[in-house]
Amino acid sequence: MSVSLSYHRIGQGAPLVLLHGFPLDGAFWNPILPYLREHFDCIVPDLRGFGASPLTEPGYTLEEMAADLSALLVELDISAAFLAGHSMGGYIALAFARCFNDQLLGLALLGTQAAPDAPERRQLRYETIEQVRRDGIAPVLGMAEKLTFDLRHTPSLRQIIQRQHPVGVMGALQAMAERPDALPGLATLTVPVVIVHGLQDGLVPVERARQMHAVLPQAYLLELPGVGHSPPYEAPEQTAQAVIRLVKDG
Ligand code: MLT
């Protein structure tokens, strides 16, 4: 069952839904919005379990989180939209592409991957779920350092993490752990795709972006030196220029 997402909306142009990563909320997109709002009608939801959106009992999938977005587009009377997903938001964007292809105009995959979790990563997520159940969100606060190469961004990212609810954090960890391999689906996409990745990404190595580009060579790939896991936050102008390619020729 889909839930009704909290969102804000700014700008003019083709509809672009911006999907934040883990364990964040829509505020993650604030630095890039000034560059995107001239080109897109930017729709910025808090994903299920984050920000002001509803919490549901963990056990839901990324496909269900994608269904929330499909329902949001219907609610807004938008027949199809571009999606930009950062990290977990990219996993959800890929799930959306699999399940709701007819509502998709194009994809921006930012600091993300189509590969599923390796068994060790999956195991670590289940351990983190147990820690969060016991200690609240404290065990994921350290993500703030891992999200960026430039540590000047750490305090503001930590502030976003601090306001998240443990139940939403646990739900997203489980959904990410159980996600399928999205590479076969990605290879069949016919809509425009851009891929942006930081060369200093310590959470999702740049090889994962190259792996996506290898199955979809017509996609535009931008690799950013000196940037870590969060291109939209760390290099908003360059990332926005790549996203704008979805609606404008290079
Ligand atoms: C994210 O930034 O959304 C997460 O690091 C993704 C992940 O843990 O795989």
Side-chain angles (χ1 to χ4, degrees):
M1 254 259 295
S2 64
V3 302
S4 179
L5 298 176
S6 168
Y7 67 93
H8 66 275
R9 191 172 184 180
I10 189 164
Q12 277 182 355
L16 171 69
V17 189
L18 296 156
L19 314 179
H20 63 80
F22 172 88
L24 302 166
D25 63 27
F28 172 81
W29 298 103
N30 288 348
I32 201 173
L33 286 176
Y35 303 103
L36 291 176
R37 58 185 288 187
E38 308 284 313
H39 302 271
F40 294 101
D41 169 10
C42 299
I43 297 146
V44 189
D46 293 331
L47 298 170
R48 182 193 296 221
F50 294 97
S53 281
L55 295 165
T56 57
E57 204 46 44
Y60 49 88
T61 61
L62 294 181
E63 284 75 10
E64 285 172 273
M65 294 175 87
D68 298 341
L69 299 166
S70 167
L72 177 62
L73 290 181
V74 171
E75 181 190 324
L76 297 176
D77 206 18
I78 294 172
S79 56
F82 292 97
L83 258 58
H86 168 240
S87 199
M88 176 186 77
Y91 309 162
I92 297 168
L94 288 163
F96 187 96
R98 282 196 298 280
C99 303
F100 305 103
N101 193 38
D102 56 336
Q103 288 177 290
L104 183 66
L105 296 175
L107 274 185
L109 299 168
L110 314 174
T112 193
Q113 60 189 334
D117 275 354
E120 321 74 72
R121 182 84 176 247
R122 189 172 301 133
Q123 183 53 33
L124 204 63
R125 291 202 202 271
Y126 289 123
E127 285 166 22
T128 310
I129 290 172
E130 290 318 311
Q131 287 166 2
V132 171
R133 198 187 308 285
R134 207 175 49 229
D135 302 330
I137 60 147
V140 296
L141 279 180
M143 277 290 291
E145 279 91 42
K146 299 189 183 147
L147 284 167
T148 171
F149 182 63
D150 181 346
L151 294 181
R152 280 176 304 179
H153 296 304
T154 305
S156 55
L157 288 166
R158 180 181 284 259
Q159 258 181 19
I160 303 180
I161 299 174
Q162 257 161 346
R163 60 175 178 246
Q164 305 311 321
H165 196 285
V167 170
V169 167
M170 291 191 289
L173 282 166
Q174 184 172 341
M176 287 193 286
E178 290 165 11
R179 73 185 192 280
D181 185 355
L183 275 168
L186 179 65
T188 65
L189 284 186
T190 52
V191 294
V193 175
V194 303
I195 300 168
V196 181
H197 217 94
L199 283 172
Q200 272 64 47
D201 190 331
L203 270 177
V204 179
V206 70
E207 286 71 28
R208 299 298 169 80
R210 294 177 188 157
Q211 185 184 39
M212 293 195 289
H213 192 235
V215 302
L216 202 66
Q218 68 273 31
Y220 171 71
L221 170 64
L222 175 65
E223 297 182 3
L224 294 170
V227 172
H229 184 55
S230 300
Y233 209 82
E234 300 177 69
E237 189 169 2
Q238 287 161 292
T239 304
Q241 276 164 9
V243 175
I244 291 163
R245 292 176 79 108
L246 290 171
V247 285
K248 273 196 174 159
D249 283 339

